[in-house]
Amino acid sequence: MAAAEGGEVKLIGSWPSPFVLRARVALNLKGVEYEYLQEKPGPKSELLLRSNPVYKKIPVLLHHCKPVCESMIIVEYVDVVWAAATRAILPADPYERALHRFWAAYIDGKLFPSVVAIAKDEPKMAKVEAVEQLHTGIKLMEEAFERLSKGKGFFGGDAIGYLDIALGCFLGWFKVCEEVTGLKFLDEEKSPLLVGWAERFCSDEAVKDVMPENERLEEYTKLCRAFAAD
Amino acid sequence: MKAVVLLDFWASPFGQRCRIALAEKGVEYEYREENIHGDKSPLLLQSNPVYKKIPVLILDGKPVCESLIIVQYIDEAWPDRAPLLPADPYARAQARFWADFVDKKVRRCSPCVRSMSSIRNTAFLVPSNVFTHQVCESAKKLWTPKGEAQDAAKEEFIEILRLLEGELGDKKYFGGDAFGFVDIALVPFTTWFYSCETYAGFSVEEAVPKLVAWSKRCLERGSVAKSLYDPLEVYEFVKKIFG
């Protein structure tokens, strides 16, 4: 385990959140020791409100008590601060970095709202539209994987990289969407590369102990939908 | 085709971010205006098949899309001069956070995110992020006739500007003494302030005087002055869209 670079590291999070998972995977990849502070259901903690007054959302990384917010910003921060610990999360080449950032932004902009709409039955987006958007998105990510992986196991090449983290942390939620709709989003026929990649990602040392189990996510989804219906 | 090409539209604040960044770095490039009232060029469609929007930076035939991603790319591709992001990792994270805040919040209220139904074909005006539905609803309120909805939108907009002013504090620029990423992300939207004030009936300078002073300092920089348009010219353009 890498030393905490002269300062304690804490992560404020919540177990179902794919965004929190991104931060945890990045920290695990770098072997950083950190204290995980699980937000309890109900009112947000004082620490969270103080650390992220703008959005009041998790994840928040606290390093030397200084907060870093927004999941992919946390991932980049961890990559740079613990650069010596292990291989880089972001590619070295500026153009490759731009492509990883582009697709991560696409995931947040297009895939995330579809997932929320399907899993939580959000009225903001019609289910039909959400399903179509998720199918389109996964097709695009399959093509992106073919181009960016260059025949290797991950978007980042030989090991998990920035875009692997951005997309991989939604895998549990894609399964929930499949449960909810009865449809297949990641399947052997239409997205064979991503199916293989998903198995590799989920079984990676940095991921397997922090990825929430499917049953737990499904229970959580049922509860959210029940609350929304009340 | 020159080595560096920017596909853009004159009034786009997102395109202007890229122009400012290229000018800061002293990079020569070919500017290509996209006709937003007509068909999108084959080059745009080929370079940005996902969103089909400007700006797109094409370097040696390789396209980069999304303005803040383009600005970071410009910073990393020309690392030997005029750094746009701070060297310190924590300061960099803060810069990224606030630039992202501008994207999430300020662009919501600007007229460039108006109803999709009326400007569906315009290459830059429809945002490509998740908040489209909320964005359009929010923008409609600011840009439509007086009433409770417009007042609420106005308050929300002023609150967002106040948050940014709070972050700026008494610094010369958002990053301190050096002009950089957050300044680039925000300054193009300042030329839309006059339009916002006129439509929604309030004074930005009264609400956030330090932010207005900062915008004037930015305009003293050659890179900014030559990339932005006069607020009155922007207002004429806005009137054409909104009537």
Side-chain angles (χ1 to χ4, degrees):
Chain A
M1 287 289 214
E5 286 296 317
E8 57 172 12
V9 183
K10 294 183 184 184
L11 183 72
I12 310 174
S14 171
W15 69 265
S17 164
F19 305 105
V20 170
L21 188 57
R22 287 170 169 176
R24 299 193 79 175
V25 170
L27 289 163
N28 287 353
L29 280 171
K30 295 288 185 174
V32 177
E33 282 181 28
Y34 65 97
E35 187 185 349
Y36 179 64
L37 302 169
Q38 167 80 14
E39 277 288 293
K40 295 188 179 67
K44 295 177 187 192
S45 69
E46 265 308 304
L47 182 63
L48 173 59
L49 296 176
R50 211 169 53 233
S51 308
N52 190 357
V54 175
Y55 299 121
K56 305 172 180 41
K57 284 189 187 157
I58 47 89
V60 179
L61 182 80
L62 292 163
H63 187 208
H64 304 295
C65 299
K66 294 197 295 187
V68 181
C69 308
E70 297 297 295
S71 61
M72 295 318 289
I73 294 176
I74 293 173
V75 170
E76 281 210 49
Y77 176 79
V78 167
D79 194 27
V80 170
V81 170
W82 287 277
T86 180
R87 57 169 279 157
I89 292 173
L90 264 161
D93 174 67
Y95 187 67
E96 297 278 314
R97 289 161 82 93
L99 290 178
H100 275 240
R101 286 181 181 133
F102 174 85
W103 286 111
Y106 175 83
I107 289 161
D108 283 358
K110 295 285 187 185
L111 297 197
F112 169 59
S114 313
V115 164
V116 167
I118 294 167
K120 291 193 171 178
D121 225 1
E122 280 273 307
K124 282 176 190 162
M125 186 195 270
K127 199 59 101 39
V128 165
E129 193 192 329
V131 164
E132 199 185 307
Q133 190 153 281
L134 193 51
H135 275 307
T136 303
I138 287 177
K139 180 169 174 275
L140 284 172
M141 294 312 305
E142 173 84 3
E143 290 164 8
F145 184 85
E146 190 168 5
R147 281 197 312 274
L148 294 174
S149 66
K150 301 185 183 82
K152 300 211 171 137
F154 298 96
F155 286 96
D158 288 319
I160 288 176
Y162 185 83
L163 189 49
D164 299 282
I165 294 173
L167 184 62
C169 297
F170 273 95
L171 285 169
W173 282 101
F174 290 159
K175 281 222 163 65
V176 168
C177 290
E178 289 178 345
E179 261 295 311
V180 164
T181 58
L183 300 167
K184 274 296 247 175
F185 289 108
L186 269 185
D187 79 41
E188 296 276 353
E189 207 187 299
K190 292 185 192 149
S191 47
L193 297 177
L194 285 183
V195 167
W197 161 81
E199 277 170 49
R200 287 189 292 278
F201 182 84
C202 292
S203 57
D204 192 276
E205 282 301 315
V207 176
K208 63 186 186 155
D209 293 334
V210 290
M211 176 76 94
E213 296 108 8
N214 264 94
E215 294 77 22
R216 214 178 159 203
L217 274 179
E218 277 161 25
E219 266 310 304
Y220 172 80
T221 306
K222 282 185 190 133
L223 269 171
C224 287
R225 286 157 83 91
F227 267 121
D230 281 343
Chain B
M1 193 161 81
K2 249 191 173 168
V4 186
V5 177
L6 181 69
L7 304 182
D8 204 352
F9 175 70
W10 71 272
S12 164
F14 310 105
Q16 286 162 355
R17 288 168 166 176
C18 307
R19 287 174 243 165
I20 294 169
L22 288 163
E24 285 286 319
K25 295 283 189 177
V27 171
E28 278 192 25
Y29 65 98
E30 182 189 338
Y31 177 92
R32 287 203 193 175
E33 181 83 349
E34 280 288 322
N35 175 15
I36 67 157
H37 299 296
D39 293 326
K40 294 171 196 188
S41 72
L43 183 59
L44 174 60
L45 295 175
Q46 181 195 323
S47 309
N48 191 356
V50 175
Y51 300 118
K52 306 175 181 38
K53 290 194 200 117
I54 56 93
V56 180
L57 184 78
I58 308 174
L59 186 64
D60 293 326
K62 297 190 296 191
V64 182
C65 308
E66 298 296 286
S67 60
L68 291 184
I69 292 174
I70 293 171
V71 172
Q72 287 182 88
Y73 172 71
I74 290 167
D75 196 35
E76 289 167 0
W78 288 276
D80 54 332
R81 58 193 109 146
L84 304 178
L85 275 144
D88 173 68
Y90 187 73
R92 285 171 90 85
Q94 294 310 296
R96 288 198 168 105
F97 176 87
W98 285 104
D100 178 67
F101 176 85
V102 173
D103 260 8
K104 280 184 167 78
K105 300 285 189 181
V106 174
R107 60 190 283 178
R108 283 180 59 167
C109 301
S110 78
C112 53
V113 291
R114 216 261 181 146
S115 164
M116 286 170 81
S117 57
S118 63
I119 53 166
R120 196 175 287 281
N121 290 322
T122 49
F124 86 101
L125 290 173
V126 175
S128 55
N129 78 16
V130 61
F131 303 105
T132 303
H133 178 85
Q134 298 157 305
V135 154
C136 292
E137 290 309 300
S138 173
K140 270 185 214 168
K141 286 175 214 157
L142 193 60
W143 297 96
T144 48
K146 314 259 174 262
E148 260 183 49
Q150 201 200 42
D151 287 342
K154 192 166 61 181
E155 282 314 310
E156 190 193 348
F157 185 56
I158 292 172
E159 198 39 52
I160 288 164
L161 294 182
R162 283 202 178 118
L163 255 172
L164 284 162
E165 190 180 62
E167 175 57 23
L168 174 70
D170 292 315
K171 301 194 295 279
K172 185 177 182 190
Y173 299 114
F174 277 88
D177 289 327
F179 179 80
F181 195 55
V182 183
D183 308 286
I184 293 174
L186 181 59
V187 78
F189 291 95
T190 61
T191 58
W192 298 76
F193 284 170
Y194 175 75
S195 304
C196 295
E197 290 170 323
T198 307
Y199 268 86
F202 69 105
S203 162
V204 174
E205 188 150 13
E206 260 174 42
V208 283
K210 282 184 181 173
L211 200 66
V212 170
W214 157 83
S215 72
K216 289 177 182 165
R217 281 196 295 279
C218 290
L219 275 164
E220 287 166 10
R221 298 182 75 81
S223 63
V224 177
K226 71 179 189 181
S227 303
L228 303 190
Y229 284 79
D230 190 276
L232 287 172
E233 224 175 324
V234 172
Y235 179 59
E236 289 306 312
F237 170 74
V238 168
K239 273 200 297 188
K240 278 199 194 120
I241 303 176
F242 290 87

